[in-house]
Amino acid sequence: METQVFKVPDSFKKDFKYTFCPGCDHGIAIRLVGEVMDELGIRENTIAATSIGCSVTIYDFLDMDSIEAPHGRALAVATGVKRANPDKFVFTYSGDGDFASIGIAESLHTALRGESISSICINNTTYGMTGGQLGPTTLMGQITTTSPTGRNVEYYGYPVKIAEHIALCDGTAFSARVSLDTIANIKKAKQAIKKAFEVQLQGLGFGFVEILSTCPTNWHMSPEQAHERVRNEMMPVFVPGVYKDVTNI
Amino acid sequence: MSRIVIDSSKCKACYLCIKECPKNLIRVSDKTNKLGDRVVEFSDPDGLCLGCALCATRCPDLAITEVYKG
Amino acid sequence: MVECLAGKKVLTKGNYAIANAAVIAGCDCYFGYPITPQSEIGEFMSGKMQELKKAYVSAESELAAINMALGACATGKKAMTSSSSCAVSLMQEALSYATSDELPIVLVSVMRCGPGLGNIFPSQGDYNQSTIGGGDGDYKVIVLSPSNVQEAVDLTYKAFYLAQKYRNPVILLADGLLGQMMEPVEFSEYPYPEIDNSSWALSGAKGRAARIIRSYSPTEDFQCEHIRHLFKKYRIIQENEVMFEELYTEDADIVVFSFGSLSRNVKATVKNLRAEGLKVGFFRPITLFPFPDKRISEIADRVDKFLTIEVNMGQMVRDIKLAVNGKIPVEFFGKPVGSWPSVEDIEVAIKGAMS
């Protein structure tokens, strides 16, 4: 007698095929979202607001209603969806450029208003889809196509610590940063996504998870080296942890 | 007996799963994907698979579509 | 402020009247950011929508406001935002998305003067911004131009209807004068049928395939087909929705064009000149898109000259010239910004054009 211990989440489209580069952690993050949707039974009640960048393709994989927001406007579009339909489950899935650069005003204000929305932000320290330019989370010293000698303060200033900023907003119910570099951390990431979704279902406020993720293509690394970089270079700066959890006070 | 199912059409040959398997049951095969990279295969003649699903948890492409523990 | 009761006649400001009409039209959601001279719309909606337990958000920017409307419209709800000139500039991106997504956003644009910050002086400088737009790609937005407060109310109803009917954004293009002036106005019941949007609105993929509302095109062919589909729709709008007001054109030597609240001064002047025995006609496009070019072309066949009067540098002249197609001269009289030309100023301009 055998028991199935792993399957493609039911919330996925039957004929899906990921279009990410080999080794890209987007695929894991989206799978975790799908698993959480299965566990909470929310797929049929979900409306997602997607973003611009590699993250937008989530609507090709998850079998859910979605609207593609203009670049940086995912949280505003999600606010419109949620205010018009308070009974729907509404979430966004964006990259760090969308969430924390062009869309930082929308993101922070959505958290400040305490919208009943859940947001996932993939932090891979670069603009992936456009070919690896410097983004809001690019680390000091990191070489990108627009920081050819590495990020320096003189020209670029400092990277943004997203989960900490979101945690400072009074309307935030949950804010955490997780990583996908190890199996143990993948499991923690799923717990955080679930929590960020649950606070919406409980009407507690804005739920947020920043996921440290890889971009092997634009980092010019093997998938394995990329996880080492997450561990050795990203995690000391973008420290994983739960930065706010109103259910745990 | 525990086992995994690999959808090789989804495998992009990142080989992250190979390192995760505690029993070294996943290896590079002779089959290639569209890009010409050799995809992985599961080989467990001695029935060593634990059904731990570490490989599937790691796979970024959901190419390991099923894991059974038996 | 006024009560949101259909069938009531009240004396009220244009901005309040428009907001009140939106509520009667069944507006489910209002999203806005303050800017003079339209802030009363948001002020009215903040209280009324909360009273009605409907959606209201004081957005962090006009970018956010119109994208909130985009999200609400995607779920089939009637959503509206309002703004003015330099801030409507910020909304051009979302208008472009909304045309491609075929989402029925209603945008009330109450003109001040530009370019840039300009000032709150009256102006009609956003004719081009509304009819041509600053968003990317091939698209059209329906533009309605009221001349008085009553018409602003009636066209607000129509804006919601046309937006829903054609699944296209609609701009109600008012101006600061209209927004701020008080006039008696009667609110009718919403006179249009409700449109069923259950075939496309997002509601959660329960018992049906998932729906994706997006402007991204996977292939060249897909995008070509999509744009052709949009333009087929724009042709239907052009054929069916043109509105205009026309006076004394049958035997006129010259026809004078004007839009918006300024047209009232122009119409009054034309009437005065008719009383003097001068053969002057009057024409006011009410829909700026679809533009009444067919009718304008017909009139051009029997008139010597057109004169267009605007408080901008002649933005409508091009549309009239395109309709006239070189048959007769089209002259312009106007000023860039400021108080509307008086009946006396306009009389001098018309007589000058006739001499």
Side-chain angles (χ1 to χ4, degrees):
Chain A
M1 186 65 194
E2 60 179 20
T3 328
Q4 188 165 11
V5 292
F6 184 93
K7 63 173 182 175
V8 175
D10 295 336
S11 294
F12 271 70
K13 291 184 176 174
K14 296 298 160 240
D15 54 349
F16 88 97
K17 194 169 206 176
Y18 279 145
T19 42
F20 302 113
C21 304
C24 171
D25 278 348
H26 261 301
I28 295 175
I30 292 172
R31 187 190 81 225
L32 298 180
V33 171
E35 288 176 357
V36 171
M37 286 174 88
D38 280 8
E39 287 170 23
L40 298 175
I42 54 175
R43 180 191 73 82
E44 293 183 330
N45 199 42
T46 293
I47 301 175
T50 66
S51 57
I52 304 295
C54 300
S55 55
V56 71
T57 55
I58 188 170
Y59 55 42
D60 289 333
F61 315 126
L62 290 176
D63 191 20
M64 62 186 180
D65 276 10
S66 47
I67 170 164
E68 170 199 271
H71 196 26
R73 310 285 99 81
L75 277 292
V77 170
T79 296
V81 172
K82 186 69 181 188
R83 291 292 187 107
N85 305 271
D87 58 326
K88 297 294 169 196
F89 181 81
V90 179
F91 82 98
T92 68
Y93 182 88
S94 356
D96 50 274
D98 198 277
F99 188 92
S101 186
I102 188 168
I104 196 166
E106 284 78 359
S107 302
L108 283 174
H109 280 279
T110 302
L112 286 164
R113 285 192 303 268
E115 300 287 349
S116 260
I117 288 171
S118 310
S119 283
I120 311 294
C121 173
I122 301 295
N123 175 357
N124 62 7
T125 72
T126 191
Y127 286 101
M129 188 172 264
T130 46
Q133 294 80 16
L134 176 130
T137 51
T138 297
L139 293 171
M140 298 313 298
Q142 184 179 338
I143 290 172
T144 71
T145 59
T146 51
S147 56
T149 57
R151 182 173 197 152
N152 58 59
V153 171
E154 188 188 2
Y155 278 83
Y156 308 98
Y158 298 93
V160 56
K161 292 175 180 168
I162 308 170
E164 289 89 328
H165 277 77
I166 295 297
L168 283 173
C169 299
D170 287 346
T172 299
F174 181 79
S175 178
R177 180 184 293 117
V178 296
S179 165
L180 303 175
D181 66 311
T182 64
I183 300 291
N185 283 340
I186 290 172
K187 291 185 171 163
K188 280 189 201 165
K190 182 175 166 184
Q191 286 166 5
I193 293 169
K194 194 166 185 181
K195 192 89 190 185
F197 281 21
E198 282 171 342
V199 293
Q200 175 180 171
L201 295 171
Q202 293 157 1
L204 296 173
F206 185 62
F208 176 72
V209 185
E210 174 186 346
I211 302 180
L212 303 182
S213 184
T214 55
C215 186
T217 300
N218 288 304
W219 293 358
H220 308 291
M221 290 178 180
S222 72
E224 207 183 338
Q225 287 171 327
H227 285 130
E228 278 163 25
R229 175 177 185 264
V230 170
R231 212 152 31 240
N232 300 331
E233 297 179 33
M234 286 171 73
M235 285 163 68
V237 180
F238 302 123
V239 180
V242 174
Y243 287 89
K244 188 173 185 187
D245 181 357
V246 297
T247 67
N248 195 24
I249 293 171
Chain B
M1 197 171 82
S2 301
R3 64 189 174 94
I4 68 171
V5 177
I6 299 174
D7 177 350
S8 55
S9 75
K10 288 189 165 77
C11 177
K12 297 198 189 114
C14 73
Y15 304 142
L16 285 169
C17 55
I18 294 176
K19 286 268 161 56
E20 293 296 346
C21 181
K23 298 290 180 187
N24 296 314
L25 303 176
I26 305 174
R27 65 186 182 199
V28 179
S29 76
D30 293 330
K31 286 200 295 179
T32 53
N33 63 16
K34 276 186 184 166
L35 296 172
D37 298 314
R38 289 161 64 191
V39 299
V40 298
E41 65 183 6
F42 177 64
S43 171
D44 187 17
D46 302 324
L48 298 173
C49 178
L50 302 168
C52 65
L54 294 182
C55 54
T57 307
R58 175 79 280 167
C59 175
D61 283 296
L62 261 173
I64 298 167
T65 54
E66 295 161 68
V67 178
Y68 295 92
K69 199 169 183 140
Chain C
M1 287 203 208
V2 290
E3 293 266 348
C4 286
L5 289 176
K8 209 172 170 187
K9 189 162 191 176
V10 290
L11 179 69
T12 189
K13 249 188 179 186
N15 284 337
Y16 290 138
I18 289 168
N20 198 52
V23 173
I24 295 172
C27 179
D28 298 300
C29 314
Y30 175 87
F31 309 101
Y33 187 94
I35 180 172
T36 308
Q38 63 76 53
S39 297
E40 292 89 349
I41 297 176
E43 289 169 358
F44 179 93
M45 292 304 252
S46 66
K48 188 55 74 177
M49 298 302 264
Q50 289 186 59
E51 185 189 316
L52 298 172
K53 304 283 179 216
K54 291 184 167 189
Y56 168 87
V57 180
S58 285
E60 58 270 30
S61 68
E62 290 85 355
L63 285 174
I66 195 163
N67 279 285
M68 289 172 190
L70 192 85
C73 283
T75 66
K77 295 292 182 352
K78 289 183 186 173
M80 164 181 160
T81 183
S82 60
S83 193
S84 178
S85 299
C86 48
V88 175
S89 300
L90 290 173
M91 297 180 164
Q92 298 300 318
E93 174 193 50
L95 283 176
S96 166
Y97 272 74
T99 55
S100 184
D101 292 345
E102 299 191 85
L103 293 177
I105 296 175
V106 173
L107 163 59
V108 177
S109 169
V110 184
M111 288 182 279
R112 46 191 274 160
C113 85
L117 182 60
N119 206 315
I120 58 170
F121 311 134
S123 164
Q124 296 185 304
D126 299 328
Y127 179 96
N128 284 347
Q129 185 193 55
S130 309
T131 59
I132 302 171
D136 57 309
D138 276 313
Y139 72 94
K140 290 279 185 190
V141 174
I142 297 169
V143 184
L144 309 177
S145 164
S147 66
N148 59 47
V149 177
Q150 181 65 58
E151 195 177 35
V153 165
D154 298 339
L155 290 180
T156 300
Y157 298 152
K158 187 143 199 169
F160 278 95
Y161 174 62
L162 293 178
Q164 299 281 326
K165 181 179 177 186
Y166 292 106
R167 291 182 58 190
N168 202 72
V170 177
I171 295 177
L172 181 79
L173 183 65
D175 55 63
L177 195 79
L178 200 55
Q180 295 300 322
M181 80 169 136
M182 294 184 82
E183 284 189 301
V185 55
E186 193 163 356
F187 294 99
S188 71
E189 300 281 350
Y190 179 61
Y192 301 104
E194 295 296 338
I195 306 288
D196 178 19
N197 51 33
S198 59
S199 65
W200 60 266
L202 305 183
S203 57
K206 187 175 185 179
R208 59 161 172 78
R211 292 174 181 163
I212 305 174
I213 291 181
R214 62 175 159 190
S215 60
Y216 168 77
S217 280
T219 64
E220 257 179 58
D221 286 350
F222 183 94
Q223 186 70 343
C224 277
E225 274 312 300
H226 181 54
I227 294 172
R228 285 196 183 106
H229 156 74
L230 294 179
F231 272 72
K232 198 173 156 192
K233 181 170 79 177
Y234 302 151
R235 269 201 306 280
I236 294 169
I237 294 170
Q238 183 74 52
E239 281 161 18
N240 293 290
E241 304 299 346
V242 167
M243 292 172 74
F244 55 84
E245 181 188 0
E246 187 181 328
L247 204 60
Y248 313 129
T249 58
E250 290 305 317
D251 63 341
D253 295 329
I254 184 168
V255 172
V256 187
F257 288 75
S258 180
F259 72 95
S261 65
L262 172 67
S263 67
R264 297 163 72 168
N265 293 13
V266 174
K267 190 161 113 181
T269 312
V270 168
K271 283 182 173 174
N272 291 346
L273 294 176
R274 272 278 164 176
E276 285 179 27
L278 292 175
K279 289 192 169 176
V280 186
F282 168 77
F283 192 98
R284 171 172 76 95
I286 297 172
T287 50
L288 303 183
F289 174 79
F291 196 69
D293 43 13
K294 195 173 155 202
R295 182 62 188 152
I296 292 171
S297 173
E298 285 165 9
I299 298 171
D301 287 334
R302 56 171 189 268
V303 172
D304 298 334
K305 188 186 268 185
F306 283 170
L307 171 67
T308 166
I309 301 180
E310 303 169 54
V311 178
N312 59 43
M313 294 306 280
Q315 295 187 14
M316 189 169 63
V317 171
R318 188 173 66 169
D319 278 339
I320 296 174
K321 279 189 171 172
L322 284 170
V324 167
N325 199 17
K327 286 188 275 196
I328 55 169
V330 178
E331 290 187 7
F332 169 70
F333 168 73
K335 60 194 274 198
V337 301
S339 52
W340 284 177
S342 66
V343 168
E344 291 73 24
D345 297 335
I346 295 167
E347 187 178 315
V348 170
I350 295 174
K351 283 182 171 168
M354 290 181 84
S355 61

